[in-house]
Amino acid sequence: TAETETSTRQLKREVVQYRPYLCAQDVIGARSTSQSFVCSGAASKSMYGIAEAVWKPGLKPEDLARVCGQAFLSALERDCLSGYGAVLYIVTKDGIVEYELVCRND
């Protein structure tokens, strides 16, 4: 019957579910993925040290902002070409929170 044929077609339809993932690229486009975190940009080598020391799985958004802020500011202090601050965005299912990080300017 037409009803059975319709339900069979619906069962055969593939369900595609997109999941977020972490990825960074270097200047030549080489991709690096991770299950924990990635650092990218001019001061990324400086960020990895503090990020590895203080990041842990399951951080609450406020704690994640603090950890990322520490990593950014620590890296900015060590790399004069990175500028004097950064903007940090924490993305959750409830929305996006923006933090403006200001570094030394001397």
Side-chain angles (χ1 to χ4, degrees):
T1 67
E3 204 172 296
T4 307
E5 189 176 313
T6 303
S7 63
T8 303
R9 272 192 230 140
Q10 288 175 347
L11 289 176
K12 289 182 181 178
R13 187 181 304 163
E14 185 178 334
V15 177
V16 178
Q17 185 175 15
Y18 296 101
R19 297 176 52 105
Y21 69 98
L22 298 173
C23 178
Q25 289 182 311
D26 65 12
V27 294
I28 62 170
R31 206 167 52 165
S32 170
T33 61
S34 174
Q35 295 297 316
S36 53
F37 63 86
V38 294
C39 297
S40 182
S44 62
K45 289 184 171 100
S46 298
M47 281 191 281
Y48 268 109
I50 189 79
E52 288 174 337
V54 295
W55 181 87
K56 59 185 174 189
L59 289 171
K60 293 180 181 174
E62 300 81 24
D63 296 329
L64 181 60
R66 183 185 49 77
V67 167
C68 291
Q70 282 180 312
F72 279 129
L73 293 176
S74 175
L76 291 171
E77 296 272 332
R78 290 166 175 74
D79 185 358
C80 64
L81 299 176
S82 292
Y84 301 112
V87 179
L88 169 65
Y89 296 95
I90 301 294
V91 181
T92 67
K93 64 180 179 178
D94 299 325
I96 301 171
V97 179
E98 178 182 315
Y99 298 89
E100 185 174 343
L101 306 173
V102 180
C103 194
R104 290 178 13 187
N105 195 357
D106 57 348

